[in-house]
Amino acid sequence: MKQLKFIDFCAGIGGGRLGLTNNNLECVGYSEIDYYAQKTYKTFYGDKEKNYGDLTRIDAEKLPDFDLMIGGFPCQTFSVIGKRAGFNDSRGMIIYSLIDIMKKKNVSYFILENVKGLVNHNNGKTLNEIVKALEDAGYDLEYRVLNSLNYGVPQMRERIYFIGIKKGLKKKKFIWPKPFKNLDIKDCLIDNDVEEQKLDDKIFQKYLNNKYNYGKFDLNQILKQDYLVLDTRQSDLRLYEKKVPTLRTGRHGILYVKNNKLYKLSGYESLLLQGFPKELAEKSKNSKLNNSKLLSQAGNAMTVSVIQALCESLLKCIGDEENE
């Protein structure tokens, strides 16, 4: 089977890219508009590929030929965290720009990702509309909600994934990847420069003693449990053992216990929790990328191990038997 080429749309910091290159696919370009995400992307992967910028303004004829499209099209309009404006928000229309590029470039395959909230947005009508548009574009389509927790990382992250294969190219039934062993959380929370959460900090103490948390938690007991994760949500505190809640843009209040102290999750560690390799996490530290920005970027990324598993299943579906 020939080496497949892809373009990384809505690229972020390239979590999807890594999942594909780990399967020996070749990246021939990407599309990302956020300045800081572009900076991180270049820090990780260099300047070899061109950034085609705003995909709604791309002239598809000027794109290099490619076999597979990957894209985590904007999820804010479908997320339960946002206002759920859906197609009333211009970001919700980007899926149609992606479909337009698929048609004009005769793309053979795609892997698209979005938040779980898309499933029931507008009573399921939004999902049905997207599914119809993708199928009408000429693709056999599979879609399913997967949790990153079951695919290689200790993070509770549910996302819907769409797998598209141009009609006539499927060699056999697409089989969704089976869950596999998680990376241990101890292998992710390893930043030697992580910031400690001071227990006597006034803001932290005020939070622990608000009407939602007062009297519910014993800090002395909490500090005895190494790798216990604390999610300091807007009002109420939540605890997790051996896993972290969904990383996302703007979620910077995750703490964890280690050696009887509380630490703030760092951008370096959030990359590892998304399946990025240590060498890229080290690049982020050596390049002195902004920690707050990196936390947001990691939260907005695709989970590398999930995309890698999906790509493996896709290759089995479309590959020749003698090459498997």
Side-chain angles (χ1 to χ4, degrees):
M1 187 176 181
K2 71 170 185 175
Q3 183 182 33
L4 300 180
K5 298 179 179 181
F6 70 91
I7 292 183
D8 190 3
F9 290 95
C10 307
I13 59 174
R17 172 195 174 117
L18 280 175
L20 299 185
T21 56
N22 286 347
N23 277 289
N24 198 36
L25 275 69
E26 178 186 358
C27 181
V28 295
Y30 66 102
S31 167
E32 177 54 51
I33 60 174
D34 182 85
Y35 169 78
Y36 294 102
Q38 292 176 44
K39 183 178 179 181
T40 303
Y41 199 97
K42 290 178 181 178
T43 297
F44 286 172
Y45 315 112
D47 294 312
K48 179 182 177 182
E49 299 90 19
K50 180 178 179 179
N51 179 11
Y52 290 91
D54 186 347
L55 70 86
T56 65
R57 299 182 179 182
I58 288 176
D59 180 354
E61 301 303 321
K62 295 182 179 179
L63 291 174
D65 291 335
F66 63 103
D67 305 286
L68 184 147
M69 168 187 287
I70 187 162
F73 58 104
C75 62
Q76 295 95 327
T77 58
F78 306 120
S79 172
V80 294
I81 302 301
K83 296 181 180 179
R84 310 197 78 182
F87 292 127
N88 293 321
D89 185 319
S90 61
R91 293 172 298 183
M93 302 301 289
I94 285 180
I95 182 64
Y96 293 112
S97 295
L98 291 172
I99 291 173
D100 184 58
I101 293 171
M102 288 179 197
K103 292 178 178 178
K104 290 180 178 178
K105 294 300 293 183
N106 194 30
V107 175
S108 297
Y109 319 104
F110 62 76
I111 299 176
L112 301 178
E113 179 242 40
N114 210 294
V115 291
K116 181 186 177 183
L118 176 60
V119 173
N120 58 22
H121 180 268
N122 195 20
N123 295 316
K125 294 179 182 178
T126 300
L127 176 60
N128 290 338
E129 187 172 339
I130 290 174
V131 167
K132 185 177 186 304
L134 291 169
E135 291 179 337
D136 287 349
Y139 293 89
D140 291 321
L141 183 68
E142 302 278 351
Y143 59 93
R144 181 176 292 188
V145 172
L146 301 179
N147 191 335
S148 297
L149 188 65
N150 299 322
Y151 294 92
V153 294
Q155 180 195 169
M156 302 160 58
R157 186 182 190 86
E158 291 184 300
R159 292 292 183 266
I160 184 170
Y161 297 91
F162 300 87
I163 309 298
I165 302 171
K166 198 77 172 176
K167 292 185 184 300
L169 296 181
K170 184 187 293 187
K171 299 290 179 66
K172 59 186 69 173
K173 179 179 174 61
F174 177 82
I175 304 297
W176 290 91
K178 295 180 180 179
F180 54 89
K181 185 178 179 181
N182 294 330
L183 182 67
D184 196 303
I185 196 168
K186 295 179 182 179
D187 297 322
C188 299
L189 304 180
I190 58 173
D191 189 350
N192 292 326
D193 300 318
V194 69
E195 181 182 354
E196 184 180 349
Q197 170 64 61
K198 298 298 184 182
L199 302 182
D200 58 356
D201 178 82
K202 290 182 179 179
I203 295 177
F204 184 59
Q205 283 297 322
K206 184 177 180 180
Y207 174 79
L208 289 178
N209 289 293
N210 69 22
K211 64 179 182 179
Y212 302 100
N213 298 321
Y214 182 75
K216 291 183 178 180
F217 302 98
D218 183 339
L219 265 184
N220 292 323
Q221 288 299 317
I222 285 175
L223 293 175
K224 292 178 181 179
Q225 302 177 65
D226 264 9
Y227 301 103
L228 182 69
V229 173
L230 291 72
D231 183 13
T232 57
R233 298 163 63 91
Q234 186 173 359
S235 54
D236 62 313
L237 175 65
R238 299 191 183 182
L239 306 179
Y240 300 89
E241 293 185 5
K242 299 181 181 180
K243 59 188 177 185
V244 299
T246 306
L247 301 178
R248 63 171 182 263
T249 301
R251 189 175 213 162
H252 298 166
I254 297 179
L255 310 173
Y256 64 89
V257 180
K258 190 174 181 181
N259 299 325
N260 303 114
K261 293 183 179 180
L262 273 182
Y263 294 100
K264 298 179 180 179
L265 183 73
S266 70
Y268 175 97
E269 293 167 330
S270 65
L271 290 172
L272 301 181
L273 287 163
Q274 280 282 53
F276 285 79
K278 288 181 182 178
E279 55 264 31
L280 292 191
E282 290 293 341
K283 280 188 177 182
S284 74
K285 183 175 288 191
N286 295 336
S287 300
K288 297 182 179 179
L289 294 171
N290 180 277
N291 185 68
S292 180
K293 287 277 193 277
L294 200 57
L295 278 166
S296 291
Q297 291 167 2
N300 197 43
M302 294 186 191
T303 304
V304 176
S305 50
V306 176
I307 299 301
Q308 182 170 338
L310 288 172
C311 183
E312 290 172 0
S313 292
L314 176 61
L315 292 176
K316 290 177 182 178
C317 176
I318 63 177
D320 298 322
E321 288 189 12
E322 60 266 27
N323 289 330
E324 290 183 9

